[in-house]
Amino acid sequence: EEQLEEPEEGPSTKPESASRLPYMFDSSKEAKKLFECIINPVKLDRFFAEFWERKPLLIQRYKLTPYYNDGWFSTAELDHILRQENIQYSVNLDVTSYENGKRETHNPIGRAYAPVVWDYYQSGCSLRLLNPQTYSRRVWKLLSVLQEYFGCCVGANIYLTPPGTQGFAPHYDDIEAFILQLEGRKNWKLYATRTGSEKLPRFSSENLNEADLGEPILNRVLEAGDLLYFPRGTIHQASALEDSHSLHITVSCYQKNSWFDFFEKLLPRALQIAYEEDVELRKGVPLNYLQNMGVVNSDKETPERKMILNKVEKLMTSIFKNAPIDAAFDQMGRGFIHDSLPPVLSESEKSCSIHGTGERWDSKRNQVTSMVEIEPDSMVKIIRQGALRLVLEEDQVHVYHNLENSRIYQGVEPQFVDIPLEAAPAVEFLIHSYPEYISVDSLPLEDIQLKIDIITALYEKGLLLTQEPLEPLYEDGSVDDEKPE
Amino acid sequence: EEQLEEPEEGPSTKPESASRLPYMFDSSKEAKKLFECIINPVKLDRFFAEFWERKPLLIQRYKLTPYYNDGWFSTAELDHILRQENIQYSVNLDVTSYENGKRETHNPIGRAYAPVVWDYYQSGCSLRLLNPQTYSRRVWKLLSVLQEYFGCCVGANIYLTPPGTQGFAPHYDDIEAFILQLEGRKNWKLYATRTGSEKLPRFSSENLNEADLGEPILNRVLEAGDLLYFPRGTIHQASALEDSHSLHITVSCYQKNSWFDFFEKLLPRALQIAYEEDVELRKGVPLNYLQNMGVVNSDKETPERKMILNKVEKLMTSIFKNAPIDAAFDQMGRGFIHDSLPPVLSESEKSCSIHGTGERWDSKRNQVTSMVEIEPDSMVKIIRQGALRLVLEEDQVHVYHNLENSRIYQGVEPQFVDIPLEAAPAVEFLIHSYPEYISVDSLPLEDIQLKIDIITALYEKGLLLTQEPLEPLYEDGSVDDEKPE
Amino acid sequence: EEQLEEPEEGPSTKPESASRLPYMFDSSKEAKKLFECIINPVKLDRFFAEFWERKPLLIQRYKLTPYYNDGWFSTAELDHILRQENIQYSVNLDVTSYENGKRETHNPIGRAYAPVVWDYYQSGCSLRLLNPQTYSRRVWKLLSVLQEYFGCCVGANIYLTPPGTQGFAPHYDDIEAFILQLEGRKNWKLYATRTGSEKLPRFSSENLNEADLGEPILNRVLEAGDLLYFPRGTIHQASALEDSHSLHITVSCYQKNSWFDFFEKLLPRALQIAYEEDVELRKGVPLNYLQNMGVVNSDKETPERKMILNKVEKLMTSIFKNAPIDAAFDQMGRGFIHDSLPPVLSESEKSCSIHGTGERWDSKRNQVTSMVEIEPDSMVKIIRQGALRLVLEEDQVHVYHNLENSRIYQGVEPQFVDIPLEAAPAVEFLIHSYPEYISVDSLPLEDIQLKIDIITALYEKGLLLTQEPLEPLYEDGSVDDEKPE
Amino acid sequence: EEQLEEPEEGPSTKPESASRLPYMFDSSKEAKKLFECIINPVKLDRFFAEFWERKPLLIQRYKLTPYYNDGWFSTAELDHILRQENIQYSVNLDVTSYENGKRETHNPIGRAYAPVVWDYYQSGCSLRLLNPQTYSRRVWKLLSVLQEYFGCCVGANIYLTPPGTQGFAPHYDDIEAFILQLEGRKNWKLYATRTGSEKLPRFSSENLNEADLGEPILNRVLEAGDLLYFPRGTIHQASALEDSHSLHITVSCYQKNSWFDFFEKLLPRALQIAYEEDVELRKGVPLNYLQNMGVVNSDKETPERKMILNKVEKLMTSIFKNAPIDAAFDQMGRGFIHDSLPPVLSESEKSCSIHGTGERWDSKRNQVTSMVEIEPDSMVKIIRQGALRLVLEEDQVHVYHNLENSRIYQGVEPQFVDIPLEAAPAVEFLIHSYPEYISVDSLPLEDIQLKIDIITALYEKGLLLTQEPLEPLYEDGSVDDEKPE
């Protein structure tokens, strides 16, 4: 039984809005708007109630709006990238085929030059561009906005398939998948999860044998403009029709972002805290435990065993009572910040941040000019709601942020700014005030100098936007201490 | 306020029994008897109710029975060991001093020859023999029996201190300490734990500054025959009196054997099992968690936050409900087996085990002779109650044992015998039957050959004792297939 | 006594030619021309006869041609780079100071934003841009051409110093240094090498103490347009004058490119070959060597000692006779290829190589078009004389090349193309024919298909230029097997 | 054609002398005597002139002296070791078979208990005891004396083979092999080396295929008392006769002790020294080397190429002229000391060394007694000629020695005593004076205290023997500062 969405009247949103959404004041609203466009005309409520992590959803928009997914990426852009960038086989690009049940990778070593890549394509190989966000500003924008919506790392692959071929064996993945058909047509087959333990899995499958799959639960052609969503664990395969190539982008999210991952962070911390606070946990286990506990004694009903089981339960309760739930979520958040893409900044954002203002070299006068300073009445906000996270670690306050992340996944170490403990309320205030601008003076700190220092520190790391570009101090460009009168 | 035990009538047990306890049928009873002797005349019940992990206990026996601790070790034995064995500085022996608040280690590199060691002693240095059980059969016996009583690794150091000196700075340790004064006299000072977090600690302290300690809670001279017990975390220092050297052995146990250590094994396993059995744990965390959770949001009272907290609690309960408590205790037990000393076998035990029976080389006839076989009516028992542990790991049954352990701590890899799953009940039966002998035939298995095979496998690893030495098959020593008629 | 060059009539070459040299047919001639410009008006012969690895050379050109070094880099370009690129402190940029004999590094962590960097500059700190070739196309071009001239890796740093300050302590480096003053003025002091063992050193010095240096051998102001050369091991320090900032680029070469480095590669290979070919080397050393050889026996004059010394000499001769000198030089060459910068390609070079020709995506027809093929009469040459190296390694023929190197030092693994042994003469022929184009057909191979295959393989790796851009096969763009008639 | 020695009158030396040689004053003479016994009646001169590293030698002594090899080891001793020691499969013992061209290893995991081992033997498996010197004092003695003769590490394996079986496939080894038949009989087949490069190889072969071997060059039965020698690289296999088991010991030496190994140590040191002393080696290689050198240019005859080749030759000569030949031999010697067995000390040697004399614990008086001191007239010698080696390393003088080595190969780190540079002549004097005793006073040092210090330091490390046991200082055993009057 297919999960199929047939819009009667077509998308209510203009298609171009998806790839060219206007700048919005509030990054989380912008993110929500973008995702609404992507699943248009299905509504958010319905999507999360019926489909998300539950079952596939096919949205056919090609009849009314075949151009709906235009703008994200094109084969012409791929050709351009191959010519302009140092694309490496295996690192950035895979050349694959799946024929007669045999899946092969044909990657040579070294740089992928366009003519050689097209030779492979002509001979029936599929191309998979692994990190389009590194080379395409639009894909970067798409993913960096969506990651704010999902609160987790959002990735993408581009798949180009020659007519009449298939590039991959049936398999399932460990991510929530959104397939946006960009060019041509592809026939998709989805299959039911085989066992309960393969539901919402943490790891992708090997290549599967077609014989083991049973009947597809969905078997439809995706056309340019369409969207196909399916949860992690859904077995799938797809082949281009004989009369057309196929290009699509797979947007993925929620990899290792489950409750398991949360508890993996929570439990060791909960134990450590209970150890520090509850001396009971530091006491020795009973002398006689070896004779009463263990699988070999699991059928015993001795009083010692009962007492030990009671004790375990009591200690468990103690561990859970003190479990640092918020700190564990902050660790999840910290991981997200590390994995995420840096935000795409508009020109107007640049001019209101460290990128656009401040000291510069004056070639004519051979000296530095245009000094600016944060003032008590400067109006500021954080640059994106999802670009930073305040985390307490070992009595230190770190503001983790993704502004210096590279467009390659985990290309840099986690970046953070150290904040003095007493300034933490100011950062909290900034976070909670978003998306509104606030004046430096209004920060909940005693000392005006501390307010200016903390805002300056964040501003100089690119974490803040000012409402207006900061003005250079003196029109005459003088930067020494003597002010003009 | 000192914890002092002044026996009015002296020990009720003959002193020599401690170091020369007779062989007992049941290793756990032997272990209990030995520990009773060590804390004699204090009774077990009282010791564990009042002192264990709670407060120090001084037992003065020197007046009535100054010879009470004799037999475990002596300075003469140390001299002998230095001459016979390759004792290495830093590995087996430390040369230390503590003078005017300064603690120093004087270890040269390489082998410790007796005359050089005694030169250090003459110049006022203390000697610490780090693993006397490797060189002294009596200490080995002492520790290997005690480890059965405590169900955890039991270690020992020997301390020899010249008259009028002190070898170590004040500090606390991470083990329960039993000080048995062997020769001479030493003045001990114990101090109260400084903070709650130093109570029953998992790690030993640095050398402490005398100025930070306050008044001692105990300040007494230990004489040959006496015992001093104190819990981990108790700050202590001791110096030999001017008129006498001091020799004592410190028996230690319960290092990293606390409930914390248990939960450290339990929690990841509990999470993994819950992950496999409860699909709820595999679902994603909510999209909006970053805005509602984390330290920065801990004061929020949004419905989303409440829902998330409820969900965490529900999942916690699920994790605990399925927690593999017995498996975690088995992992503790497995660790104990790995860390523990091999048992000291008596000659009669050897003659009823793999050590004494079976095929041997007949030099006269230049062939192998004396073949033996396990028969259905062979009577067997495990060699020590605490020498083996049945553990289920990844659908395999391992019988971990300490018989091939070296007398050096963790000198060998964990040793185990693989047991077919269907034979596990036989091993359980053997364990639960201890200390009684059972016939091979009485094992709860269907197949007599399987019974013989499993017993043979355990016997050949040294894990079993037979009630009588196994008889060679044929009196004439023939070992070929043709039986004599 | 200073090594000073005072041109009477000024440079004979137009200054702009240095940074804007026209494309030349022969990359080694272009390289030579560029270096001539750099040391203009000193002649090559004189430079290498009198100064190279011998003594410093100062060329003052500022009076006649103050613009002589213009075009390589400017402070304005640095400002631009800081705004456009993700410049990281410590990785790409150092912020330093040297005041009152104290050298400090002030690098924060993370990205260097322009306003923050200029703040440091304003407070008197020097800036060192570590790999300008990564961000400046002109510096890349400069270095990539010079490396062909020197046959070794050529690097560069940019130094910007505020007026009246000094950024570094006196020290010496392990490279030949060419200082090109770009803006402002700087006073340089050079000092004599202190000891013979510091002459032409393999490793740079620590920061030195001014007190240890003696009188400078050169003490002059470098002005924009000037050049200062000094050999590795020359102690130096420099400070900007009070009235001007200073910007210079230091071009460096010949790091670890000495005879020592050659023999380090040669000797183990020579020994290995002698081992394989001379059974004498496999024989055991004499039984009595311990009694006759060694420092303790070096004064002995026993016949055994004499015989052993003779034997050693004879074996040495054997090792040297078979030493694979050319193979060791090839290893040096291979190292150079790995370390070197990729060539800067002109647009016309791109259009005659894999970058510009060949299959491309036709967006209108949604298919691949413009297939090209190497033909027997195609005219080809290698892309740069110094861009590839043919090396025999363990019976395999590798063509190492630098075309896929990154603009970061050793940013990628050594890149090579495997060549069948029988095709090696074709590659040799290509190398020796440079800079002339040759026809594919003229290669010294038997089989025309092998000729086309080997040229296609090299062409597809970007190693070859064609004389004219390859023509697409069919004007109608058809790429299938049926040719139009 | 076999290399066969048929003594007409039998050995001239009493057989028992081999395994029970009397203690000799000079360890190198004792070593020579022992090896003479082993190859008796063949003379040393003839052995080294005709056979050593050249061809196999079979010495048949069984008819006249079947007991000639008795005493080194026996199957009964193996049985005893299996019962007393913790023998581990794979580490100390291999259980193998070779049947129908298939070589198998049957090692279980863990400790090898005698009855289980004999089960394997009964089923036709061969046993190989890997390091008999660890468990057999006689084998230890044999090898430790022989290593002084050969000046290299001497090892041994014991092989026990059941009647009518073979335990190993044909192969060759990387050591000189001496097979001493101890019990029973075994048929040996030796085969010619297949290629020149397999002559005197540095590495052992894989198991070889019988079909590849050709006709044996020797095919004879070895009986108890016989000896078979063959050089490394000799292909061999052996099987026990149907009517008898076989026990032999293989004594091995000259593993990685060839001229190659010497030059491997010499060449890098020679290069380093030349680098320091000859500035020519620090100069850069010529700019044009890439165009003139390398395999691709090896046929060129340009003047540049000739000049470079001349330069290489000149520098080679410089490198060899300064080559530190003695230092490289010392490194070989140092390696030998590290690999070698510690000497077996007699009781009388112990009483004249650190093992027997000096301070001891007096249990009656509870204090240290019997202090001894080295005096100017003490007569000393080094304990074995081959037990120590004086090595200069980075301006430090180390006396490497094997006295603390374990009986397991490389069981401990290299052991050495640091000697002040000015005391080196004293150690040289001691070494050259061996085997004579010298007085401390006669050492070639200025200061009597330095003489005593250096001798005391060596004595306390066990490196010296005194002519007579040192006398305790005072008969009354007093050790305090007040001397008796």
Side-chain angles (χ1 to χ4, degrees), chain D residues 430-448:
Chain D
L430 275 165
I431 291 171
H432 289 144
S433 302
Y434 187 85
E436 302 306 326
Y437 291 96
I438 57 157
S439 73
V440 172
D441 206 26
S442 69
L443 289 177
L445 299 175
E446 294 288 310
D447 181 19
I448 180 63

Short mmCIF file of all heavy atoms in Angstrom, two decimals, chain D residues 430-448:
data_model
loop_
_atom_site.label_atom_id
_atom_site.label_comp_id
_atom_site.label_asym_id
_atom_site.label_seq_id
_atom_site.Cartn_x
_atom_site.Cartn_y
_atom_site.Cartn_z
N LEU D 430 91.07 -3.30 32.41
CA LEU D 430 90.44 -4.52 32.92
C LEU D 430 90.16 -5.51 31.80
O LEU D 430 90.42 -6.71 31.92
CB LEU D 430 89.12 -4.18 33.62
CG LEU D 430 89.18 -3.76 35.08
CD1 LEU D 430 87.86 -3.11 35.49
CD2 LEU D 430 89.46 -4.98 35.97
N ILE D 431 89.63 -5.00 30.70
CA ILE D 431 89.26 -5.87 29.58
C ILE D 431 90.51 -6.52 28.98
O ILE D 431 90.56 -7.73 28.75
CB ILE D 431 88.50 -5.06 28.50
CG1 ILE D 431 87.13 -4.64 29.04
CG2 ILE D 431 88.37 -5.85 27.21
CD1 ILE D 431 86.38 -3.66 28.14
N HIS D 432 91.55 -5.70 28.78
CA HIS D 432 92.75 -6.25 28.16
C HIS D 432 93.55 -7.15 29.10
O HIS D 432 94.33 -7.98 28.66
CB HIS D 432 93.62 -5.11 27.63
CG HIS D 432 93.02 -4.43 26.43
ND1 HIS D 432 93.13 -3.09 26.19
CD2 HIS D 432 92.27 -4.92 25.41
CE1 HIS D 432 92.50 -2.77 25.07
NE2 HIS D 432 91.94 -3.88 24.59
N SER D 433 93.37 -6.97 30.40
CA SER D 433 94.10 -7.81 31.35
C SER D 433 93.50 -9.20 31.47
O SER D 433 94.15 -10.13 31.96
CB SER D 433 94.10 -7.15 32.74
OG SER D 433 94.66 -5.87 32.68
N TYR D 434 92.23 -9.34 31.09
CA TYR D 434 91.58 -10.63 31.21
C TYR D 434 92.41 -11.69 30.53
O TYR D 434 92.95 -11.44 29.46
CB TYR D 434 90.18 -10.58 30.58
CG TYR D 434 89.38 -11.83 30.82
CD1 TYR D 434 88.65 -12.00 31.99
CD2 TYR D 434 89.41 -12.87 29.90
CE1 TYR D 434 87.95 -13.16 32.22
CE2 TYR D 434 88.71 -14.04 30.12
CZ TYR D 434 87.98 -14.18 31.29
OH TYR D 434 87.28 -15.34 31.54
N PRO D 435 92.58 -12.90 31.06
CA PRO D 435 91.90 -13.45 32.25
C PRO D 435 92.66 -13.23 33.56
O PRO D 435 92.26 -13.79 34.57
CB PRO D 435 91.85 -14.93 31.93
CG PRO D 435 93.10 -15.18 31.15
CD PRO D 435 93.37 -13.92 30.36
N GLU D 436 93.74 -12.43 33.56
CA GLU D 436 94.51 -12.27 34.79
C GLU D 436 93.80 -11.33 35.78
O GLU D 436 93.13 -10.39 35.37
CB GLU D 436 95.90 -11.69 34.46
CG GLU D 436 96.71 -12.53 33.50
CD GLU D 436 96.85 -13.97 33.97
OE1 GLU D 436 96.93 -14.20 35.21
OE2 GLU D 436 96.84 -14.88 33.10
N TYR D 437 93.99 -11.59 37.07
CA TYR D 437 93.54 -10.65 38.10
C TYR D 437 94.51 -9.49 38.17
O TYR D 437 95.72 -9.66 37.99
CB TYR D 437 93.47 -11.32 39.47
CG TYR D 437 92.39 -12.36 39.59
CD1 TYR D 437 92.65 -13.70 39.38
CD2 TYR D 437 91.08 -11.97 39.92
CE1 TYR D 437 91.65 -14.65 39.48
CE2 TYR D 437 90.07 -12.92 40.03
CZ TYR D 437 90.36 -14.26 39.81
OH TYR D 437 89.37 -15.19 39.91
N ILE D 438 94.00 -8.31 38.41
CA ILE D 438 94.88 -7.15 38.63
C ILE D 438 94.46 -6.49 39.93
O ILE D 438 93.33 -6.64 40.39
CB ILE D 438 94.75 -6.12 37.48
CG1 ILE D 438 93.28 -5.68 37.36
CG2 ILE D 438 95.26 -6.69 36.17
CD1 ILE D 438 93.11 -4.34 36.72
N SER D 439 95.41 -5.75 40.51
CA SER D 439 95.05 -5.03 41.74
C SER D 439 94.38 -3.72 41.37
O SER D 439 94.67 -3.13 40.32
CB SER D 439 96.31 -4.75 42.58
OG SER D 439 97.05 -3.74 41.96
N VAL D 440 93.49 -3.28 42.24
CA VAL D 440 92.78 -2.02 42.01
C VAL D 440 93.79 -0.90 41.84
O VAL D 440 93.66 -0.01 40.99
CB VAL D 440 91.83 -1.73 43.19
CG1 VAL D 440 91.22 -0.34 43.06
CG2 VAL D 440 90.75 -2.81 43.26
N ASP D 441 94.81 -0.97 42.63
CA ASP D 441 95.84 0.06 42.62
C ASP D 441 96.54 0.19 41.28
O ASP D 441 97.04 1.25 40.92
CB ASP D 441 96.86 -0.28 43.71
CG ASP D 441 97.54 0.97 44.20
OD1 ASP D 441 96.93 2.04 44.09
OD2 ASP D 441 98.68 0.85 44.66
N SER D 442 96.59 -0.89 40.53
CA SER D 442 97.37 -0.88 39.29
C SER D 442 96.60 -0.26 38.11
O SER D 442 97.12 -0.17 37.01
CB SER D 442 97.78 -2.31 38.92
OG SER D 442 96.63 -3.07 38.55
N LEU D 443 95.37 0.16 38.34
CA LEU D 443 94.60 0.75 37.24
C LEU D 443 95.27 2.04 36.76
O LEU D 443 95.79 2.79 37.57
CB LEU D 443 93.17 1.09 37.71
CG LEU D 443 92.25 -0.10 37.95
CD1 LEU D 443 90.91 0.41 38.49
CD2 LEU D 443 92.04 -0.89 36.67
N PRO D 444 95.23 2.31 35.47
CA PRO D 444 95.90 3.49 34.93
C PRO D 444 95.09 4.76 35.15
O PRO D 444 94.68 5.41 34.19
CB PRO D 444 96.04 3.16 33.44
CG PRO D 444 94.89 2.26 33.16
CD PRO D 444 94.63 1.49 34.41
N LEU D 445 94.84 5.08 36.43
CA LEU D 445 94.14 6.32 36.76
C LEU D 445 94.98 7.06 37.79
O LEU D 445 95.78 6.45 38.52
CB LEU D 445 92.76 6.05 37.34
CG LEU D 445 91.75 5.31 36.45
CD1 LEU D 445 90.47 5.03 37.23
CD2 LEU D 445 91.43 6.14 35.20
N GLU D 446 94.80 8.35 37.88
CA GLU D 446 95.58 9.16 38.81
C GLU D 446 95.14 8.92 40.24
O GLU D 446 95.92 8.68 41.14
CB GLU D 446 95.39 10.66 38.48
CG GLU D 446 95.96 11.08 37.13
CD GLU D 446 97.48 11.10 37.16
OE1 GLU D 446 98.06 11.71 38.09
OE2 GLU D 446 98.11 10.46 36.25
N ASP D 447 93.84 8.99 40.45
CA ASP D 447 93.28 9.15 41.78
C ASP D 447 92.89 7.80 42.37
O ASP D 447 92.12 7.05 41.78
CB ASP D 447 92.05 10.07 41.67
CG ASP D 447 91.41 10.32 43.00
OD1 ASP D 447 92.08 10.10 44.03
OD2 ASP D 447 90.23 10.72 43.00
N ILE D 448 93.39 7.48 43.53
CA ILE D 448 93.09 6.18 44.14
C ILE D 448 91.60 6.05 44.45
O ILE D 448 90.99 4.99 44.29
CB ILE D 448 93.95 5.94 45.42
CG1 ILE D 448 93.59 4.57 46.03
CG2 ILE D 448 93.75 7.06 46.42
CD1 ILE D 448 93.91 3.40 45.14
#
